[in-house]
Amino acid sequence: MNASKREAIDRLLKMVFRATGLVTIGLLGGIFFMLLFNSIAFFAKGNPIDFFTGSQWNPGSDAGNYSILPLLASTGFVALGSMMIAVPLGIFTATFLSELAPDTLRTILKPVIEMLAAIPSVAIGFLGIVLVGPAIARVFGIQNGLNALNGSILLAIMALPTIITISEDAISAVPKTYKEASLALGANKWATLFQVTLPAALPGLIAAVMLGLGRALGETMTVLMATGNAAALPKGFLDSIRTITATIAIEMGEVPYQTTHYFALFAIAVVLFIITLLINLLGEFFANRLRKFHA
Amino acid sequence: MKYCFFCLAILLQSCIEQDKTIKIKGSDTEVNLAVELAESFHVMNPIVFVSISGGGSGLGIASLLNNTADIANSSRSINEEEITLFQQKGIQIDSFIFAQDAIAIVVAKDLPIDSISTNDLAAVLSGKYSTWKSLANKDLPVNIYGRQSNSGTHDFVKDKLSIEFSRNAKEMNGNAQILEAIRADHSGIGYVGAGYVSHGGSKALKILPVYTQENKDAVSPLDAQKIAAGKYFFQRPLFQYYKTSSYIKIKPFLDYEKGQAGQSIIHSAGYYPLRKL
C-alpha cells in the first residue's frame, strides 16, 4: 500500500516536471510558428525579392515599400560597432579578473560587473540621449549625436556583463598544468597569457562574444531612444539608423490588423529571430565544445 | 427567476444614474485636456459626473453611433461614410468646436530665415532640399527632426503638405526631445504641437511663421487672433460631436467649456481657445 502510493507520487511528479519542460519548448515553437505563419501571409502578398533587395522601408507610401535592407544594415551596424567596443574591453577585463587581479579586488569587481546587467535598458537609453549623444556631437563636430555610434556604445555597455562573465569562466577553466608547462619552458607571463591561456580558452571566448552579440541584436528600447530612427540606408557610424527592433516597436502600436504592413512587421521579426537563434546556437555550440574539452 | 434578473437589471440601471453622467469618448490628442476640463467642471457641479476615455477619433464617433457615448471628441471632421451611418440610424448630430490645435515649425535661433512658404516647407521636409543654401543662403545640411509614424502630429503634417517625409528625417520620441535637439543643432528643423513652444518653451529657438501660395501674409502659430480666424496653415479644430436629442443633458458641460474658466484651462493646456481671454 505504502509502496504503491509512493510509486504513484513518483509518477505524478515525473509527469509534472516533464510537462514544465515541454511547456518551454512548446512556447518557443508556438512563437516561431506564429511569426512564421504571419510572415508567410506577407510573402504571399508582397514580393519576396523586393523584401531583400529593395532599399526603402516606407509602409506609409502609396506603393508600400517594404524592404528589410536598411533595417538589417542598421541592426548590423550597431551590433558590429558594439562588438568592436565590447569584445576587446570584455576579454581584457575577463583576463585581468581571472589571471592578474588580486583576490580581494576580484571578489569586489565581479559582482559589480554583473550588476551592470541589472540596469534597465530605458535608463541606458536615457544616458544615450543626455550624455553620450551630446558628447559624440562635440567630439566629431556634428550637429546631433543620435546615431549608430551612440547606439554601439550603449549596446557595448549592455553586452559587457555577458561577455565578461562567460569569458572569465572560460579563462579560469584552462587547466593549471598548461600554464605551468609554459612557464617551465621559460616563457614569461605575457607570452604564456597570449600564446597559451587565451588560445586554450578560445571556444569559450567565442561563445561569450556570440551571446553578447545576441543580446545586442535583440535590444530595443536603448536603440529606439538613442539612434535617431531615420529610415534611410546608413552610410557610416555617424548616420542616424533605425533597427529592426525599433521599427517593430514604433509601428506595431498603430498598424491596422491583417494588412500588408502588419504582416511585414512579422516578416522582419522572423528575420531577426532567425539571426539571433543562429547566433545563440553558435554560442551554445562553442560553449559545449569548451565543456567537452575540459571534461 | 426570469423576473428576478429583470428587476435586478432595473435596479442596477438606476444606480448608474444615466442622467447625471456625461460619457465622453474619442481622440487621444484631446483626452488630457478633456480630463482637466471635466475635473474642474465636477468641482463646480458635484452632482454631474463626467467620464472620459480615449481610443481615437474614429472610436469616439462609433461610440456615439452605438449609443455608448454622449459626446465624441474628434480631431478631424466627421466623414461622409460616418454621416451616412448616422442618417441610416436616424440620429441627428451636431458639432461644437471647443478649441483649436496648432503645430509650430521650429528652427534654431541663428538660422537666417524668418518665415517659410508651404511649398518650401514641403521641399525641405520631403528631402528635396538637402541644404539651407536656397532658403537661408547657408551651406548647412538640413536636419529634420520629426515624430514617429505612430504620432497624429506626424500624420497631420504629412497629409497637410501632401508629402512623404524624407527618409533621413530623424524620428524622435516626443515634442520635448525635438526641441532639445534643435536647440543644439544650428541647421535643424522640426514640428511640434504649439503648446510646447507657447509657454516659454521657445528659448534659443525660432518659430517660423508660415505663408501659402494664395496668402503671402505669414502667420505665426503663436498668434491667437489669427488662429481664431482660421488663418494658420497647420491648425486643426478640435470637435465635439453630440446627438441633438441629448443636448439638454450635456449643455451644462458645453457651457462650461465655452465659459471663461473652461477657455482658460484650454489656453493653459497649450491649445487655442475660441474667444479672447
Side-chain angles (χ1 to χ4, degrees):
Chain A
M1 178 61 191
N2 214 355
S4 70
K5 199 174 172 188
R6 265 164 70 170
E7 266 175 21
I9 291 174
D10 218 38
R11 263 203 306 279
L12 190 74
L13 281 182
K14 221 180 242 171
M15 266 159 67
V16 168
F17 280 90
R18 185 179 299 150
T20 51
L22 287 177
V23 163
T24 322
I25 298 176
L27 276 177
L28 180 69
I31 290 171
F32 183 68
F33 281 111
M34 195 263 291
L35 290 177
L36 203 65
F37 183 73
N38 280 303
S39 56
I40 285 171
F42 167 74
F43 288 119
K45 282 184 187 182
N47 186 345
I49 299 165
D50 279 354
F51 182 66
F52 290 106
T53 58
S55 64
Q56 268 197 56
W57 175 268
N58 191 357
S61 71
D62 297 330
N65 292 305
Y66 301 100
S67 164
I68 197 176
L69 212 64
L71 311 179
L72 204 58
S74 300
T75 297
F77 258 93
V78 276
L80 202 78
S82 68
M83 286 304 111
M84 279 180 352
I85 300 166
V87 168
L89 208 59
I91 290 182
F92 285 139
T93 310
T95 314
F96 172 73
L97 277 181
S98 71
E99 298 290 304
L100 306 167
D103 278 346
T104 44
L105 189 59
R106 184 184 325 163
T107 48
I108 300 168
L109 259 186
K110 224 180 155 190
V112 169
I113 287 167
E114 271 154 22
M115 215 120 81
L116 208 55
I119 302 175
S121 55
V122 175
I124 295 197
F126 181 66
L127 281 185
I129 293 174
V130 300
L131 211 72
V132 184
I136 290 174
R138 255 200 316 281
V139 169
F140 290 93
I142 51 176
Q143 302 292 357
N144 193 283
L146 297 177
N147 52 29
L149 182 62
N150 192 340
S152 298
I153 292 172
L154 300 177
L155 288 185
I157 295 171
M158 301 187 71
L160 267 179
T162 314
I163 295 183
I164 292 174
T165 313
I166 300 173
S167 305
E168 208 256 320
D169 289 345
I171 296 167
S172 308
V174 173
K176 219 177 167 192
T177 47
Y178 283 36
K179 267 179 280 178
E180 286 168 353
S182 168
L183 291 170
L185 287 170
N188 65 19
K189 204 174 172 183
W190 302 112
T192 306
L193 183 64
F194 284 110
Q195 289 169 23
V196 177
T197 313
L198 286 183
L202 192 62
L205 299 185
I206 295 175
V209 172
M210 287 298 155
L211 294 177
L213 187 59
R215 174 102 210 255
L217 280 173
E219 178 48 44
T220 308
M221 203 60 212
T222 310
V223 286
L224 172 66
M225 288 168 82
T227 56
N229 299 317
L233 198 64
K235 292 180 203 67
F237 275 102
L238 296 180
D239 278 352
S240 285
I241 54 153
R242 181 168 173 178
T243 63
I244 296 179
T245 49
T247 305
I248 298 173
I250 293 171
E251 291 174 11
M252 205 37 133
E254 288 288 307
V255 65
Y257 280 19
Q258 315 291 331
T259 56
T260 315
H261 186 187
Y262 174 82
F263 292 128
L265 292 177
F266 277 99
I268 61 173
V270 164
V271 173
L272 184 69
F273 183 79
I274 291 172
I275 295 173
T276 44
L277 191 71
L278 284 181
I279 284 177
N280 277 306
L281 284 178
L282 215 61
E284 283 298 317
F285 170 74
F286 280 107
N288 280 333
R289 258 188 51 179
L290 186 75
R291 263 171 234 144
K292 274 187 210 140
F293 172 73
H294 290 305
Chain B
M1 197 62 200
K2 228 190 234 167
Y3 294 107
C4 217
F5 275 116
F6 189 58
C7 294
L8 196 68
I10 291 180
L11 206 70
L12 285 174
Q13 195 74 15
S14 58
C15 282
I16 302 170
E17 287 193 70
Q18 278 286 333
D19 290 345
K20 295 286 189 293
T21 306
I22 300 173
K23 281 178 293 212
I24 303 179
K25 289 189 184 176
S27 166
D28 288 322
T29 320
E30 296 162 50
V31 81
N32 289 335
L33 173 59
V35 167
E36 271 182 59
L37 284 167
E39 275 170 359
S40 64
F41 172 73
H42 182 66
V43 172
M44 308 263 256
N45 304 276
I47 49 156
V48 186
F49 292 88
V50 184
S51 86
I52 291 170
S53 61
S57 304
L59 181 107
I61 291 169
S63 306
L64 193 62
L65 188 69
N66 299 331
N67 215 5
T68 52
D70 298 307
I71 299 177
N73 280 343
S74 177
S75 54
R76 60 171 170 81
S77 57
I78 191 166
N79 63 32
E80 287 296 322
E81 201 180 324
E82 288 159 344
I83 291 173
T84 334
L85 285 173
F86 277 106
Q87 277 167 353
Q88 276 169 4
K89 280 206 167 187
I91 301 171
Q92 286 221 317
I93 54 164
D94 223 330
S95 72
F96 168 61
I97 295 173
F98 73 111
Q100 294 274 352
D101 183 21
I103 282 154
I105 306 298
V106 180
V107 294
K109 195 153 214 160
D110 49 4
L111 198 73
I113 177 170
D114 290 321
S115 63
I116 192 162
S117 77
T118 50
N119 287 346
D120 286 338
L121 193 63
V124 168
L125 293 181
S126 65
K128 214 176 281 168
Y129 292 165
S130 57
T131 67
W132 285 107
K133 192 91 189 155
S134 51
L135 289 181
N137 203 21
K138 269 206 163 180
D139 207 9
L140 285 168
V142 171
N143 287 333
I144 305 163
Y145 297 93
R147 293 288 304 278
Q148 288 158 2
S149 54
N150 55 13
S151 142
T153 315
H154 173 277
D155 285 352
F156 176 68
V157 173
K158 191 175 98 172
D159 294 342
K160 195 81 187 170
L161 291 171
S162 39
I163 54 163
E164 290 290 334
F165 281 117
S166 159
R167 275 183 294 143
N168 287 310
K170 295 189 195 346
E171 294 184 356
M172 315 299 264
N173 299 303
N175 290 297
Q177 208 190 357
I178 293 176
L179 293 179
E180 205 47 57
I182 295 173
R183 251 180 222 126
D185 185 341
H186 304 293
S187 61
I189 182 165
Y191 51 86
V192 295
Y196 285 84
V197 284
S198 56
H199 301 295
S202 60
K203 225 177 279 168
L205 294 169
K206 193 167 8 181
I207 294 141
L208 289 185
V210 176
Y211 60 92
T212 58
Q213 200 80 56
E214 300 85 49
N215 187 2
K216 298 285 183 198
D217 186 21
V219 180
S220 159
L222 302 183
D223 189 338
Q225 262 176 332
K226 291 269 176 65
I227 287 192
K231 294 275 196 248
Y232 184 58
F233 186 71
F234 292 106
Q235 77 175 72
R236 54 179 174 181
L238 302 179
F239 293 99
Q240 290 189 320
Y241 288 97
Y242 56 89
K243 277 177 277 191
T244 323
S245 56
S246 58
Y247 182 68
I248 306 293
K249 178 178 160 190
I250 61 169
K251 190 173 182 298
F253 187 64
L254 296 190
D255 286 342
Y256 179 77
E257 286 179 326
K258 277 185 243 179
Q260 189 78 34
Q263 295 284 303
S264 73
I265 288 173
I266 291 170
H267 178 71
S268 58
Y271 296 99
Y272 293 92
L274 293 177
R275 54 180 235 178
K276 272 178 83 179
L277 290 172

